[in-house]
Amino acid sequence: MVTLTFGIMTFCTLAAFVAGFIDSIAGGGGLITIPALMLSGIPPQFALGTNKVQACTGTMVSVFLFARGKFIVWRIAILGLPFALAGSGLGSSLALSLDSAVLGKILLALLPCAMCLTLVQPKSAENVSATPLTGPRFWILTPLVSLVIGAYDGFFGPGTGCFFILAFHWLLKRGLVEASATTKVLNLASNFSAMVIFITSDVVLWPLALSMLAASVAGNWLGARTAMRIGTKAVRFFLTIALILLMATLLWRYVIAPAS
C-alpha cells in the first residue's frame, strides 16, 4: 500500500506542471513526471499508470489549442490515429510483464544521433512543409511511425512527443510547429489506449493522479500558447532540452545505476 504524504503530492504536482509545459511544446514531459514519481517511492507500474492518467488529460488541452489555431495536419493525424492506438495498447500490455532495459539501451545509442541531426537542421527548412501529403511515402511512413512510436509510448513513454516530432519533421517534411501540433493528436491517442489498460489493471493512484492532472492541464495550456506565439524558435529550444533530459535519464537508468 502506497502512503501519499503532503510532500509527495506537492512534489509530483509541481513536476506535472513543468512537464505539461515542456510536453505541449516538444514532448518529453514523462522525463520529468516518471522520475518524480519514482523518486517519491511510487512502485514502477503505479508510476506508469498514474502518469498516463495525468498525461492523457493534459494533452487534450494542447490538442484543443493547436486545433483552434489550425496548426494540426489532420491528414497525418487521422491516418496515424488507429495505428497509434494499436501500438500503444500492445506496448502497455507488455509493460505490465516485461523489462524495458533492452529498449532503453537502444534508445540511448540512437539519441546522440537524433540530437545532432536536430541541431544541424537548416533554418530555411524549419517552417516549410516541402513534401506533399500523398504517395507511397505518406501512406507507408505515417502508419509505420504511428505504430512503432505508439508502442514505445505504451511500453515506457518518456520522449514519445520528441520522436513523433522528429519523425514528422524529417520523414514527412513538416515544419516544426506543424509537426509538434500534429504530434499531440497521436500522443493523445497512444496515451488514452495505455491509460485504459493501466486503469483496468488497477495500477493508478487516483488522489495523486487527479492532483497532477490539474497541474498538467495548466502547464499544457501555457506551453501550447507559448509555442504558437513564439513559433519554431521555442519548439527547437524545448525539443533540445527534452532530448538532453531523455539522454541523461536513460544513461542513469540503464548504464550507471545497474553498474553501481
Side-chain angles (χ1 to χ4, degrees), residues 153-177:
D153 190 24
F155 188 67
F156 184 47
T160 297
C162 295
F163 299 141
F164 266 128
I165 291 170
L166 293 175
F168 292 153
H169 185 52
W170 296 337
L171 301 180
L172 297 181
K173 306 303 180 183
R174 300 298 98 190
L176 281 173
V177 175

Short mmCIF file of all heavy atoms in Angstrom, two decimals, residues 153-177:
data_model
loop_
_atom_site.label_atom_id
_atom_site.label_comp_id
_atom_site.label_asym_id
_atom_site.label_seq_id
_atom_site.Cartn_x
_atom_site.Cartn_y
_atom_site.Cartn_z
N ASP A 153 5.37 4.35 -26.60
CA ASP A 153 4.65 5.18 -25.63
C ASP A 153 3.92 4.32 -24.61
O ASP A 153 3.94 4.59 -23.41
CB ASP A 153 3.66 6.09 -26.35
CG ASP A 153 3.07 7.13 -25.41
OD1 ASP A 153 3.71 7.46 -24.40
OD2 ASP A 153 1.97 7.62 -25.70
N GLY A 154 3.27 3.26 -25.07
CA GLY A 154 2.57 2.38 -24.15
C GLY A 154 3.52 1.58 -23.27
O GLY A 154 3.24 1.31 -22.11
N PHE A 155 4.68 1.24 -23.84
CA PHE A 155 5.63 0.38 -23.13
C PHE A 155 6.43 1.13 -22.08
O PHE A 155 6.66 0.64 -20.98
CB PHE A 155 6.58 -0.25 -24.15
CG PHE A 155 7.49 -1.29 -23.57
CD1 PHE A 155 6.98 -2.49 -23.10
CD2 PHE A 155 8.86 -1.08 -23.49
CE1 PHE A 155 7.82 -3.46 -22.57
CE2 PHE A 155 9.71 -2.04 -22.97
CZ PHE A 155 9.18 -3.24 -22.51
N PHE A 156 6.86 2.37 -22.41
CA PHE A 156 7.69 3.14 -21.49
C PHE A 156 7.23 4.58 -21.43
O PHE A 156 6.81 5.06 -20.40
CB PHE A 156 9.16 3.03 -21.91
CG PHE A 156 10.13 3.71 -20.98
CD1 PHE A 156 10.05 3.53 -19.61
CD2 PHE A 156 11.12 4.54 -21.50
CE1 PHE A 156 10.95 4.17 -18.75
CE2 PHE A 156 12.03 5.18 -20.65
CZ PHE A 156 11.94 4.99 -19.28
N GLY A 157 7.30 5.32 -22.54
CA GLY A 157 6.67 6.63 -22.63
C GLY A 157 7.54 7.85 -22.79
O GLY A 157 7.33 8.62 -23.74
N PRO A 158 8.51 8.11 -21.89
CA PRO A 158 9.26 9.37 -21.98
C PRO A 158 9.91 9.57 -23.34
O PRO A 158 10.56 8.68 -23.87
CB PRO A 158 10.31 9.22 -20.88
CG PRO A 158 9.67 8.33 -19.88
CD PRO A 158 8.87 7.35 -20.70
N GLY A 159 9.73 10.76 -23.90
CA GLY A 159 10.33 11.08 -25.19
C GLY A 159 9.43 10.81 -26.38
O GLY A 159 9.81 11.11 -27.51
N THR A 160 8.21 10.28 -26.15
CA THR A 160 7.32 9.96 -27.27
C THR A 160 7.07 11.17 -28.15
O THR A 160 7.14 11.09 -29.37
CB THR A 160 5.98 9.42 -26.74
OG1 THR A 160 6.21 8.20 -26.03
CG2 THR A 160 5.01 9.16 -27.88
N GLY A 161 6.76 12.31 -27.53
CA GLY A 161 6.50 13.51 -28.31
C GLY A 161 7.70 13.92 -29.15
O GLY A 161 7.56 14.33 -30.30
N CYS A 162 8.90 13.81 -28.56
CA CYS A 162 10.12 14.14 -29.31
C CYS A 162 10.25 13.29 -30.55
O CYS A 162 10.54 13.78 -31.65
CB CYS A 162 11.36 13.91 -28.43
SG CYS A 162 11.50 14.98 -27.00
N PHE A 163 10.03 11.98 -30.38
CA PHE A 163 10.20 11.06 -31.51
C PHE A 163 9.16 11.30 -32.60
O PHE A 163 9.47 11.24 -33.79
CB PHE A 163 10.13 9.62 -31.01
CG PHE A 163 11.21 9.27 -30.03
CD1 PHE A 163 10.95 8.46 -28.94
CD2 PHE A 163 12.49 9.77 -30.17
CE1 PHE A 163 11.93 8.14 -28.02
CE2 PHE A 163 13.49 9.47 -29.26
CZ PHE A 163 13.20 8.65 -28.18
N PHE A 164 7.92 11.59 -32.21
CA PHE A 164 6.89 11.91 -33.20
C PHE A 164 7.26 13.18 -33.97
O PHE A 164 7.16 13.24 -35.20
CB PHE A 164 5.52 12.12 -32.52
CG PHE A 164 4.67 10.89 -32.46
CD1 PHE A 164 4.12 10.47 -31.26
CD2 PHE A 164 4.37 10.17 -33.61
CE1 PHE A 164 3.32 9.34 -31.19
CE2 PHE A 164 3.55 9.04 -33.57
CZ PHE A 164 3.03 8.62 -32.35
N ILE A 165 7.69 14.22 -33.24
CA ILE A 165 8.03 15.49 -33.88
C ILE A 165 9.19 15.30 -34.87
O ILE A 165 9.13 15.76 -36.02
CB ILE A 165 8.42 16.54 -32.83
CG1 ILE A 165 7.18 16.95 -32.01
CG2 ILE A 165 9.03 17.78 -33.50
CD1 ILE A 165 7.51 17.81 -30.81
N LEU A 166 10.23 14.60 -34.44
CA LEU A 166 11.39 14.38 -35.31
C LEU A 166 11.01 13.56 -36.53
O LEU A 166 11.46 13.84 -37.65
CB LEU A 166 12.50 13.69 -34.53
CG LEU A 166 13.14 14.50 -33.40
CD1 LEU A 166 14.14 13.66 -32.62
CD2 LEU A 166 13.82 15.75 -33.95
N ALA A 167 10.17 12.54 -36.34
CA ALA A 167 9.75 11.69 -37.46
C ALA A 167 8.95 12.49 -38.48
O ALA A 167 9.18 12.39 -39.70
CB ALA A 167 8.93 10.51 -36.95
N PHE A 168 8.00 13.30 -38.01
CA PHE A 168 7.19 14.09 -38.94
C PHE A 168 8.02 15.18 -39.61
O PHE A 168 7.79 15.52 -40.77
CB PHE A 168 6.01 14.72 -38.20
CG PHE A 168 4.98 13.72 -37.73
CD1 PHE A 168 4.18 13.99 -36.62
CD2 PHE A 168 4.81 12.52 -38.39
CE1 PHE A 168 3.24 13.07 -36.18
CE2 PHE A 168 3.87 11.59 -37.96
CZ PHE A 168 3.09 11.87 -36.85
N HIS A 169 8.99 15.71 -38.88
CA HIS A 169 9.84 16.78 -39.43
C HIS A 169 10.80 16.24 -40.48
O HIS A 169 10.95 16.81 -41.57
CB HIS A 169 10.61 17.44 -38.29
CG HIS A 169 11.42 18.63 -38.72
ND1 HIS A 169 10.89 19.68 -39.44
CD2 HIS A 169 12.73 18.93 -38.51
CE1 HIS A 169 11.84 20.58 -39.67
NE2 HIS A 169 12.96 20.15 -39.11
N TRP A 170 11.44 15.12 -40.18
CA TRP A 170 12.42 14.54 -41.10
C TRP A 170 11.79 13.72 -42.22
O TRP A 170 12.15 13.88 -43.38
CB TRP A 170 13.40 13.65 -40.34
CG TRP A 170 14.25 14.36 -39.34
CD1 TRP A 170 14.58 15.69 -39.31
CD2 TRP A 170 14.87 13.78 -38.19
NE1 TRP A 170 15.36 15.96 -38.23
CE2 TRP A 170 15.57 14.83 -37.52
CE3 TRP A 170 14.92 12.50 -37.65
CZ2 TRP A 170 16.29 14.61 -36.35
CZ3 TRP A 170 15.64 12.29 -36.49
CH2 TRP A 170 16.32 13.32 -35.85
N LEU A 171 10.90 12.81 -41.86
CA LEU A 171 10.37 11.86 -42.84
C LEU A 171 9.24 12.44 -43.70
O LEU A 171 9.15 12.16 -44.90
CB LEU A 171 9.87 10.59 -42.13
CG LEU A 171 10.93 9.83 -41.31
CD1 LEU A 171 10.30 8.61 -40.65
CD2 LEU A 171 12.10 9.41 -42.20
N LEU A 172 8.35 13.23 -43.08
CA LEU A 172 7.23 13.80 -43.83
C LEU A 172 7.44 15.27 -44.18
O LEU A 172 6.58 15.90 -44.78
CB LEU A 172 5.93 13.63 -43.04
CG LEU A 172 5.51 12.17 -42.77
CD1 LEU A 172 4.21 12.13 -42.00
CD2 LEU A 172 5.39 11.39 -44.07
N LYS A 173 8.60 15.82 -43.75
CA LYS A 173 9.00 17.17 -44.12
C LYS A 173 7.99 18.24 -43.68
O LYS A 173 7.70 19.18 -44.42
CB LYS A 173 9.23 17.28 -45.63
CG LYS A 173 10.21 16.27 -46.19
CD LYS A 173 11.56 16.35 -45.51
CE LYS A 173 12.55 15.33 -46.09
NZ LYS A 173 13.84 15.34 -45.39
N ARG A 174 7.50 18.09 -42.46
CA ARG A 174 6.61 19.11 -41.90
C ARG A 174 7.43 20.15 -41.14
O ARG A 174 8.49 19.85 -40.59
CB ARG A 174 5.60 18.50 -40.93
CG ARG A 174 4.68 17.44 -41.51
CD ARG A 174 3.81 18.00 -42.62
NE ARG A 174 4.35 17.71 -43.94
CZ ARG A 174 3.89 18.23 -45.07
NH1 ARG A 174 2.92 19.11 -45.04
NH2 ARG A 174 4.42 17.89 -46.22
N GLY A 175 6.95 21.38 -41.05
CA GLY A 175 7.58 22.39 -40.22
C GLY A 175 7.51 21.97 -38.76
O GLY A 175 6.64 21.18 -38.38
N LEU A 176 8.39 22.51 -37.92
CA LEU A 176 8.46 22.06 -36.53
C LEU A 176 7.20 22.37 -35.74
O LEU A 176 6.75 21.53 -34.95
CB LEU A 176 9.68 22.69 -35.85
CG LEU A 176 11.03 22.03 -36.17
CD1 LEU A 176 12.16 22.84 -35.57
CD2 LEU A 176 11.06 20.60 -35.65
N VAL A 177 6.62 23.54 -35.91
CA VAL A 177 5.39 23.86 -35.19
C VAL A 177 4.25 22.96 -35.66
O VAL A 177 3.46 22.45 -34.86
CB VAL A 177 5.02 25.35 -35.36
CG1 VAL A 177 3.67 25.65 -34.71
CG2 VAL A 177 6.09 26.24 -34.75
#
